[in-house]
Amino acid sequence: MQIREATVDDLGQVDMICAASGRARWTCEMIAPRSDRVVLVAVTQGEVAGVAKTHLHPNPEGSAPAGHYLGGVVVAPAFRRRGVGSALTRVRLEWIWSRDSVAYFFTNEHNTASIRMHETLNFRPVARFSEIRGVTADDDRSELILFEASR
């Protein structure tokens, strides 16, 4: 498996992964290179197996701190539970560590697979919210947990 920066040429395969996963489609803007974030794809035998991104939030918002956040990760159903999400997350963290000493991510309190994977990467919960940066969980029926990791 190769992890590399995404290009606009990957958008067709990324769309198929999102559709197969019941997730919203990514746009050209979401995948286009920018200096304040990275968008990565995991490629196996020429096929995009997963996609993931980071976000830079330069200012605090409410109780959510400023900083680099791990954003969405979507893995094709045929490649799940094979380490694709973990590999994409490790490379995203390397990218963040080259710029900052702290990384954040948040997830729905019921997303145990994501929580476990991030805990193996030394993320620790720091707060619980009903909303973080405009995102809510389960139509406000669950909480989001904010996690932090330090280099």
Side-chain angles (χ1 to χ4, degrees):
M1 175 173 46
Q2 175 195 18
I3 306 292
R4 63 167 172 76
E5 286 197 40
T7 69
V8 175
D9 293 337
D10 295 316
L11 192 55
Q13 289 189 60
V14 169
D15 277 348
M16 289 190 308
I17 291 170
C18 291
S21 302
R23 302 282 292 273
R25 299 179 102 177
W26 289 28
T27 65
C28 286
E29 284 183 4
M30 293 169 73
I31 208 167
R34 288 188 3 202
S35 63
D36 64 344
R37 64 131 192 252
V38 67
V39 181
L40 302 171
V41 290
V43 180
T44 302
Q45 298 176 340
E47 182 179 352
V48 174
V51 60
K53 60 188 170 180
T54 66
H55 301 278
L56 173 62
H57 295 288
N59 300 306
E61 185 177 296
S63 297
H68 288 277
Y69 284 69
L70 296 175
V73 59
V74 186
V75 176
F79 291 96
R80 291 186 184 150
R81 304 289 186 249
R82 296 185 186 184
V84 175
S86 180
L88 286 163
T89 300
R90 288 178 194 280
V91 176
R92 288 183 296 160
L93 280 174
E94 289 172 16
W95 186 89
I96 290 172
W97 297 151
S98 71
R99 290 157 176 77
D100 205 337
S101 61
V102 178
Y104 300 96
F105 102 96
F106 57 87
T107 191
N108 180 312
E109 65 186 331
H110 302 294
N111 191 346
T112 56
S114 179
I115 291 168
R116 283 190 201 126
M117 192 241 335
H118 286 85
E119 285 176 340
T120 68
L121 299 170
N122 296 317
F123 277 88
R124 298 293 170 245
V126 293
R128 296 173 78 93
F129 298 98
S130 59
E131 180 267 337
I132 299 176
R133 299 192 174 277
V135 176
T136 60
D138 298 331
D139 298 320
D140 295 323
R141 293 181 307 225
S142 299
E143 286 190 309
L144 295 169
I145 305 172
L146 176 67
F147 290 80
E148 175 183 285
S150 298
R151 178 171 38 156

